[in-house]
Amino acid sequence: MDLADLKSGRLAPDDYARNFGDAHPPLVRSQALIEAERCYYCYAAPCQTACPTGIDIPAFIQRIAQDNLRGAAEAILTANPLGGMCARVCPTEVLCEQACVRNTHEGKPVEIGRLQRHAVEGFFEQPGRPLFQREPATGRRIAVVGAGPAGLAAAHGLARRGHEVALFDAHPKLGGLNEYGLATYKVAGGFAQREIDWLLSIGGITPRLNRRLGRDFTLDDLLGEFDAVFLGLGLAGVNALGIAEPQLPGLRDAVDFIAELRQSRPEAVAVGRRVVVIGGGMTAVDAAVQSKLLGAEQVTMVYRRGPDGLSASIDEQHWAQTHGVTLHCWARPLAVEAQGGVLRGMRFAATRLEAGQLVDTGEQFFLEADLVLRAIGQAYRPEAAGGAIELQGGRIRTDEQFRTSLPRVWAGGDCRFGGRDLTVEAVEHGKRAAESIHAALMNEETAHG
């Protein structure tokens, strides 16, 4: 191998258009009507209970059956203002669809995620009058830091209640994970920004982009200027491999690789002939599959435990395997091997469980690679917000109302301790934090009134 093995433009132009188009085309009207008729419209529906945002699933599906997409979208977006994105990326197979009673009767649930997408995107195509109106202005100003799913949901909920929201983000675009952290084929057609355009249309939300907490302003600055602060900071740190990691062109973080793909034309993104992805989660799958779609000849995902330990869902695992990704379990990174400043591959130690502990078996093996992508999890970086906020398990500790240990500061999303790192759960955090902030500000006003 030489540096020429890490290059862009491996495929013909038509191949890129096909590979990075919509992975799962939306339902057409006739398909949606037929699928909606499969719903039993259960009372106290288990699918609704299983949805982290509590969407009234029977109600929106019934409205689809009645050919009322606006009504269906209203039911969805009232509970989840990012219902379109969640329909595309939620692991519905282990949430609402797993709870569907059709599983018991037929072994095949109603395709709730695809119906939800059909309703929201159909509404976006012909929105008509606004679904939501802002309440009268309160005169209160709130800073939301982080424009990912949690921050966007919080901003929308606060703006609906008449507050003025300043939405800060370190990136040049709003969206956070939705814009920078998901595989291109999951959000084809610029959908993330279409959804954000709708969300901002309510008014009262002022984006402040390219502004990073801890670099361009501090938490104290915000508390001096705003009545309340919501932190939706996500997980900005990437876990290290725990071995020597030399600076090499072919050794990089999977999240950066995915972000580059989202912000570039696929044909401009360099990929190796042989790619190794270290990790077993959704990020690892997204990086591995997209490497294949860019033209890599051989892609291997390596995970330190067995298949049962993978955090990627069964559907994600099948998606990787059907795209030619090899999954190699029971192995941990041992050494990065390079020659003359060029990555040659990775040496791994075989592992096994012994008395509940992961140990090396004594065997080693080598995987040739000209691109190695790290995808072994991300971590919260506390230095941005400062040391005044109490942490738990390396993330921000909050109470049930999403209040942190610091007065007038709330937090939610992946940076908050105790979550499942799901987009839909981050939306629920932002939604509930907005309710909590509003209640606190109104109670304070009543007390002073």
Side-chain angles (χ1 to χ4, degrees):
M1 291 187 296
D2 56 34
L3 282 175
D5 288 322
L6 188 63
K7 67 179 184 180
S8 59
R10 291 185 174 276
L11 306 176
D14 288 347
D15 292 331
Y16 290 108
R18 180 173 58 254
N19 290 354
F20 291 92
D22 206 331
H24 303 289
L27 296 173
V28 299
R29 176 176 173 272
S30 59
Q31 291 173 318
L33 291 173
I34 292 169
E35 188 63 23
E37 291 291 351
R38 294 185 61 236
C39 181
Y40 288 137
Y41 312 125
C42 303
Y43 176 76
C47 58
Q48 181 175 352
T49 303
C51 174
T53 56
I55 293 172
D56 190 340
I57 293 169
F60 93 70
I61 293 180
Q62 188 171 42
R63 291 173 189 179
I64 291 175
Q66 295 165 347
D67 217 8
N68 176 11
L69 290 190
R70 179 184 175 86
E74 183 175 12
I76 294 162
L77 296 171
T78 297
N80 181 342
L82 279 80
M85 182 61 75
C86 289
R88 286 175 174 240
V89 304
C90 253
T92 54
E93 69 277 4
V94 297
L95 293 171
C96 53
E97 291 177 10
Q98 187 177 63
C100 177
V101 296
R102 279 281 187 184
N103 277 317
T104 303
H105 290 206
E106 297 178 7
K108 182 182 185 299
V110 174
E111 294 188 75
I112 298 168
R114 296 186 75 192
L115 287 171
Q116 181 171 317
R117 176 180 173 183
H118 175 76
V120 175
E121 294 183 15
F123 166 68
F124 283 175
E125 288 173 9
Q126 296 182 312
R129 67 187 187 280
L131 278 182
F132 307 117
Q133 296 291 337
R134 292 186 71 201
E135 295 177 11
T138 64
R140 297 305 189 101
R141 301 174 66 240
I142 298 101
V144 172
V145 186
L152 289 169
H156 188 262
L158 291 163
R160 279 186 67 183
R161 291 170 172 83
H163 306 298
E164 290 293 327
V165 180
L167 183 55
F168 294 84
D169 199 87
H171 293 97
K173 293 181 181 178
L174 300 176
L177 174 74
N178 291 354
E179 177 59 39
Y180 293 94
L182 298 170
T184 301
Y185 53 74
K186 292 180 178 178
V187 286
F191 181 76
Q193 293 305 312
R194 283 175 57 207
E195 185 171 59
I196 288 169
D197 289 344
W198 170 80
L199 187 142
L200 295 179
S201 69
I202 196 168
I205 304 172
T206 304
R208 298 192 184 182
L209 300 173
N210 297 304
R211 301 287 306 280
R212 184 183 298 276
L213 181 65
R215 182 191 70 190
D216 302 308
F217 58 93
T218 67
L219 195 51
D220 285 342
D221 292 335
L222 297 179
L223 290 170
E225 183 181 353
F226 295 92
D227 297 297
V229 176
F230 174 79
L231 300 176
L233 299 173
L235 303 175
V238 177
N239 293 332
L241 296 177
I243 59 175
E245 299 182 41
Q247 294 293 316
L248 297 169
L251 181 62
R252 63 184 305 193
D253 294 328
V255 291
D256 293 338
F257 176 73
I258 291 167
E260 182 185 357
L261 261 167
R262 285 294 301 279
Q263 303 305 314
S264 310
R265 301 186 324 278
E267 57 267 31
V269 178
V271 72
R273 287 193 304 116
R274 295 180 177 86
V275 180
V276 170
V277 181
I278 303 172
M282 186 187 75
T283 298
V285 170
D286 282 358
V289 171
Q290 291 192 117
S291 294
K292 263 301 219 182
L293 296 177
L294 286 171
E297 297 170 11
Q298 182 178 327
V299 179
T300 306
M301 274 177 59
V302 183
Y303 180 62
R304 63 196 178 107
R305 295 183 181 273
D308 292 344
L310 290 163
S311 58
S313 69
I314 295 297
D315 279 17
E316 289 279 338
Q317 293 175 45
H318 289 167
W319 179 253
Q321 291 166 338
T322 56
H323 282 79
V325 175
T326 300
L327 179 58
H328 193 130
C329 292
W330 299 113
R332 71 171 183 87
L334 201 59
V336 178
E337 297 199 3
Q339 185 177 353
V342 178
L343 178 68
R344 295 301 182 188
M346 290 283 300
R347 186 162 298 281
F348 293 88
T351 60
R352 69 168 183 262
L353 279 179
E354 190 174 286
Q357 298 295 314
L358 193 68
V359 299
D360 292 350
T361 66
E363 299 177 18
Q364 296 182 12
F365 64 93
F366 176 76
L367 289 179
E368 188 178 8
D370 37 31
L371 178 63
V372 172
L373 298 170
R374 295 166 291 218
I376 57 171
Q378 294 167 260
Y380 172 64
R381 286 182 173 168
E383 55 272 14
I389 295 180
E390 184 178 337
L391 303 182
Q392 182 176 357
R395 304 194 191 188
I396 298 174
R397 184 186 70 79
T398 76
D399 63 13
E400 292 183 355
Q401 299 300 314
F402 297 88
R403 294 174 295 204
T404 72
S405 60
L406 198 62
R408 297 194 292 131
V409 179
W410 284 253
D414 294 350
C415 69
R416 175 184 181 263
F417 174 76
R420 291 177 287 175
D421 296 351
L422 295 174
T423 299
V424 66
E425 188 176 69
V427 172
E428 180 68 3
H429 288 184
K431 184 178 79 175
R432 289 175 55 194
E435 295 168 357
S436 176
I437 292 168
H438 175 72
L441 294 177
M442 295 303 97
N443 287 341
E444 177 184 299
E445 190 171 285
T446 302
H448 290 151

